[in-house]
Amino acid sequence: MTSIIRSTQGGCWGSDRLRLRLYGSVFDPAVMPLIDRVESLQGVIRKVKRIEAMGQTGRSNYVDVTKFPKAGTSKLSTDEMPEAPTAPSTYNEKILANYVPVYVMLPLGVISNDNVFEDQPKMEKQLKELRAAGVDGVMVDVWWGIVESKGPKQYDWSAYRSLFALVQECGLKLQAIMSFHRCGGNVGDEVTIPLPQWVLDIGETDPDIFYTNRKGNRNKEYLTIGVDNQPLFDGRTAVQLYSDYMKSFRENMSDFIEAGLIIDIEVGLGPAGELRYPSYTGTQGWVFPGIGEFQCYDKYLEAEFKGAATGAGHPEWGLPDNAGEYNDTPGSTEFFGLNGTYMTEKGKFFLTWYSNKLINHGDEILDEANRAFLGCKVKLAAKVAGIHWWYKSPSHAAELTSGYYNLKDRDGYRPIARMLSRHYAIFNFTCLEMRDSEQRADAKCGPQELVQQVLSGGWREEVEVAGENALSRYDSNGYNQMLLNARPSGISREGLPKQIMYGVTYLRLSDELLKDKNFKIFKTFVKKMHADQDYCADLGMYNHQIGPLERSKPKLVMEDLLEATKPMEPFPWGEETDMKVDDFDGVLANLIRKLFSLFK
């Protein structure tokens, strides 16, 4: 006899809830004639596939595969066998409160450098595949270097309008990134999209508009925050450049906003669109897990620090000169080593200034974004990088060079969340898919603890928290870690969970993702993010209704930000998700190998 028991707890096919009991009467080679073994095995596989389909509908807690018709000798592959019909679905309103919408990031070069929407038929086909898989929407970079490439205030949105119209036609929602950074030089950058040429031309005569390290090397990924309020760009400041761009976006995309297509405006605040300094980048020779370098040696930031130090009564203090180079380890530097400079009064002053400059940069630009989209039914969002390497070292060196002043006795992320809360903005965090056990031991990585800390801080500051994977993954382990982080305390059967992510964006759409096996497991991942509920078009049914954007609250004072640095215990996390994705094909493949080994 062969039977499958499906747990009544949770109504899902987790590996701890699925038990295959294969009794000897089926596969024992001493009992079953050799001629029948392959035929019977094919039948069992087909039965298991039917049971898997029934399991997703929740119609049965116990299924005995001997009740199915006996398998024949069909030559069809298992992939060609028809699935069992599914019952018409109805929403469980309490379970629906656990629904986490899933978005997919579009390819970086979906709009070409020449501002052309190329290969529309392929994109249409892929978008329809995503929609059929239950995906809620897509995210797309709206590149400054493409739209305003011809000259100051010469915006050309035509290619993006064509793309947005196609997304709308395919029934998907849209998250638009105001991408004020260069594409190229970071992990996963498959194309190169520079900043507008007229901006780069200004940099030829004034290279200090770019981030600069201690050796004087310039980084042209993003304008230094030192020029945020310097009128160097045909009379405009950097903040005004970003503000004018967002205002033009609203004017030219108002019909898509009013139609409810565009639901999120993620404001790029640094390299890779993240609120950080470009402390680690391949174009500068950095390789993982180097600690990176501070990026504040342009003349504008140097002058600001000098003024701040003088104002604090220490005109003799300068910027760090003992923090090492990109690929150093913390212990090899005087700044980050045992009893290093970071622990001294001088070091603490610098790190406070460096991190606060970053927070103020994000605050200023989000304030402009709030003005630009005031009254629109959209959410603002900002992304923070998951700097997980050296997290378990005392100095958190890689985080410090990135601008996140985070130590065991100081929370570097909750002040960012508090700043975002004044703009009603979503806190978008990365590296959701990573587990400590997958990382290099010598790099002292802590992605799981980092995610737990950051998300907990966001929830404590009452901001909506979203996230994405840092690297493309197609395996159940990566998906299950994302599911765990999305609902760390599991499904609530009484309505909205205590902690739940506002949304998850998968990085990214590709031919590899759409391959049969990869896409099959991805579709299961989407279903589990939806708490085993079908795609829901009504955002209000899972507490995501979007009202008109309100004006930002009053600016925070320094004491408010410093108060948020007090460390707090993170919320408890489950050991594993209760909405697990199983690589069912992988389980079957292993089973088949073991069975055929009996015949040798």
Side-chain angles (χ1 to χ4, degrees), residues 263-264 266 378-384 416-418 420-429 454-467 496 499-504 539 542-547 549:
I263 56 171
D264 289 355
E266 182 170 291
V378 296
K379 302 284 289 186
L380 296 180
K383 184 162 68 169
V384 172
I416 297 174
R418 183 164 293 187
L420 294 177
S421 71
R422 112 168 170 94
H423 304 290
Y424 311 100
I426 299 168
F427 191 128
N428 189 15
F429 196 62
V454 173
L455 268 57
S456 294
W459 285 319
R460 281 207 165 93
E461 293 300 319
E462 299 182 347
V463 299
E464 286 152 341
V465 178
L496 190 67
Q499 288 88 40
I500 182 171
M501 295 189 73
Y502 189 75
V504 168
L539 279 63
Y542 53 92
N543 305 295
H544 277 52
Q545 60 271 20
I546 302 175
L549 183 62

Side-chain angles (χ1 to χ4, degrees), residues 232-503:
L232 304 173
F233 307 93
D234 294 322
R236 291 188 293 167
T237 66
V239 170
Q240 288 172 333
L241 298 181
Y242 308 141
S243 177
D244 290 342
Y245 184 87
M246 291 186 286
K247 289 174 182 175
S248 179
F249 180 88
R250 174 181 175 169
E251 292 168 2
N252 286 272
M253 303 296 183
S254 60
D255 52 337
F256 292 122
I257 294 173
E258 292 167 6
L261 171 69
I262 302 172
I263 56 171
D264 289 355
I265 304 292
E266 182 170 291
V267 183
L269 300 172
E274 298 165 336
L275 179 62
R276 64 173 174 87
Y277 293 92
S279 56
Y280 60 97
T281 176
T283 59
Q284 299 281 340
W286 174 86
V287 294
F288 178 86
I291 60 173
E293 293 189 26
F294 291 118
Q295 302 288 319
C296 52
Y297 299 86
D298 61 83
K299 66 182 182 183
Y300 300 105
L301 285 179
E302 277 192 324
E304 287 194 39
F305 179 76
K306 188 67 174 177
T310 300
H314 290 281
E316 75 280 7
W317 283 351
L319 295 171
D321 59 1
N322 60 350
E325 298 182 353
Y326 287 108
N327 296 316
D328 284 339
T329 61
S332 67
T333 73
E334 186 179 342
F335 193 95
F336 299 112
L338 187 64
N339 298 318
T341 306
Y342 78 96
M343 300 179 68
T344 66
E345 182 186 2
K346 177 182 177 181
K348 290 177 180 178
F349 178 84
F350 165 73
L351 291 170
T352 300
W353 172 83
Y354 190 70
S355 59
N356 284 346
K357 282 295 299 179
L358 189 67
I359 293 174
N360 189 66
H361 169 72
D363 187 47
E364 279 195 66
I365 298 173
L366 284 169
D367 195 62
E368 292 299 319
N370 179 275
R371 293 177 188 274
F373 297 102
L374 189 63
C376 296
K377 290 186 177 181
V378 296
K379 302 284 289 186
L380 296 180
K383 184 162 68 169
V384 172
I387 313 296
H388 59 88
W389 54 104
W390 305 114
Y391 180 85
K392 293 184 177 180
S393 68
S395 67
H396 292 240
E399 291 169 270
L400 298 192
T401 58
S402 297
Y404 306 140
Y405 189 4
N406 188 55
L407 300 170
K408 184 177 181 180
D409 61 352
R410 190 187 196 281
D411 193 325
Y413 300 98
R414 203 153 59 87
I416 297 174
R418 183 164 293 187
M419 177 273 289
L420 294 177
S421 71
R422 112 168 170 94
H423 304 290
Y424 311 100
I426 299 168
F427 191 128
N428 189 15
F429 196 62
T430 61
C431 77
L432 293 189
E433 85 286 9
M434 294 184 175
R435 299 185 299 171
D436 293 5
S437 60
E438 299 167 341
Q439 311 304 319
R440 283 174 47 173
D442 63 325
K444 297 186 178 180
C445 300
Q448 290 176 244
E449 293 83 359
L450 174 61
V451 169
Q452 190 175 1
Q453 176 195 343
V454 173
L455 268 57
S456 294
W459 285 319
R460 281 207 165 93
E461 293 300 319
E462 299 182 347
V463 299
E464 286 152 341
V465 178
E468 60 191 50
N469 50 309
L471 303 173
S472 294
R473 293 279 293 267
Y474 311 103
D475 61 292
S476 58
N477 288 334
Y479 288 132
N480 286 332
Q481 190 62 33
M482 294 176 74
L483 284 158
L484 173 61
N485 289 326
R487 290 182 294 256
S489 57
I491 291 289
S492 167
R493 301 193 175 279
E494 299 304 320
L496 190 67
K498 291 182 179 179
Q499 288 88 40
I500 182 171
M501 295 189 73
Y502 189 75

Side-chain angles (χ1 to χ4, degrees), residues 102-114:
V102 177
Y103 304 88
V104 174
M105 195 173 293
L106 295 185
L108 292 165
V110 61
I111 303 297
S112 73
N113 276 29
D114 297 328

Side-chain angles (χ1 to χ4, degrees), residues 49 52 79 516-517 520 582-590:
K49 277 185 168 286
E52 183 189 25
D79 289 337
D516 288 346
K517 182 181 177 181
K520 180 178 180 182
D582 281 312
D583 187 355
F584 208 74
D585 286 346
V587 173
L588 285 175
N590 288 331

Side-chain angles (χ1 to χ4, degrees), residues 3-282:
S3 65
I4 289 183
I5 292 180
R6 179 174 183 268
S7 169
T8 58
Q9 300 178 1
C12 62
W13 291 89
S15 59
D16 58 332
R17 293 178 169 83
L18 183 60
R19 300 291 185 267
L20 291 176
R21 298 194 305 197
L22 305 175
Y23 290 92
S25 60
V26 177
F27 293 114
D28 187 346
V31 177
M32 185 175 65
L34 180 61
I35 193 169
D36 292 330
R37 292 175 196 164
V38 175
E39 177 184 334
S40 298
L41 180 59
Q42 291 173 336
V44 169
I45 292 171
R46 285 192 290 269
K47 294 169 187 175
V48 171
K49 277 185 168 286
R50 294 190 185 102
I51 294 163
E52 183 189 25
M54 291 185 69
Q56 299 294 340
T57 68
R59 289 182 292 157
S60 174
N61 286 330
Y62 178 87
V63 183
D64 188 339
V65 297
T66 61
K67 301 286 178 69
F68 287 94
K70 185 176 180 180
T73 57
S74 170
K75 300 298 183 181
L76 292 175
S77 70
T78 55
D79 289 337
E80 295 172 314
M81 299 306 297
E83 298 285 350
T86 56
S89 65
T90 56
Y91 292 119
N92 180 324
E93 291 187 7
K94 288 186 176 181
I95 298 298
L96 194 62
N98 297 269
Y99 186 108
V100 177
V102 177
Y103 304 88
V104 174
M105 195 173 293
L106 295 185
L108 292 165
V110 61
I111 303 297
S112 73
N113 276 29
D114 297 328
N115 207 354
V116 175
F117 180 18
E118 297 177 336
D119 209 350
Q120 295 189 40
K122 179 181 179 180
M123 180 53 60
E124 181 178 3
K125 179 177 181 295
Q126 292 180 332
L127 291 175
K128 288 180 177 178
E129 289 185 77
L130 293 179
R131 180 61 195 84
V135 168
D136 297 87
V138 294
M139 176 181 276
V140 63
D141 289 275
V142 184
W143 295 105
W144 180 33
I146 292 176
V147 174
E148 199 179 353
S149 62
K150 294 179 180 178
K153 296 189 178 182
Q154 295 183 42
Y155 307 105
D156 182 355
W157 303 100
S158 56
Y160 280 101
R161 283 195 56 83
S162 296
L163 172 62
F164 292 4
L166 180 59
V167 172
Q168 185 177 48
E169 182 183 319
C170 292
L172 294 159
K173 299 293 185 182
L174 184 70
Q175 298 173 315
I177 309 174
M178 303 290 99
S179 297
F180 298 118
H181 61 286
R182 179 190 71 195
C183 181
N186 287 299
V187 177
D189 286 354
E190 298 176 347
V191 298
T192 299
I193 302 171
L195 300 185
Q197 186 58 51
W198 59 271
V199 173
L200 297 177
D201 290 342
I202 294 172
E204 289 296 316
T205 56
D206 185 1
D208 285 279
I209 69 172
F210 302 117
Y211 279 116
T212 306
N213 67 7
R214 190 172 65 86
K215 288 186 176 180
N217 296 325
R218 314 293 184 176
N219 187 315
K220 298 181 180 179
E221 284 186 79
Y222 187 81
L223 295 175
T224 170
I225 58 179
V227 299
D228 276 357
N229 297 296
Q230 298 286 343
L232 304 173
F233 307 93
D234 294 322
R236 291 188 293 167
T237 66
V239 170
Q240 288 172 333
L241 298 181
Y242 308 141
S243 177
D244 290 342
Y245 184 87
M246 291 186 286
K247 289 174 182 175
S248 179
F249 180 88
R250 174 181 175 169
E251 292 168 2
N252 286 272
M253 303 296 183
S254 60
D255 52 337
F256 292 122
I257 294 173
E258 292 167 6
L261 171 69
I262 302 172
I263 56 171
D264 289 355
I265 304 292
E266 182 170 291
V267 183
L269 300 172
E274 298 165 336
L275 179 62
R276 64 173 174 87
Y277 293 92
S279 56
Y280 60 97
T281 176

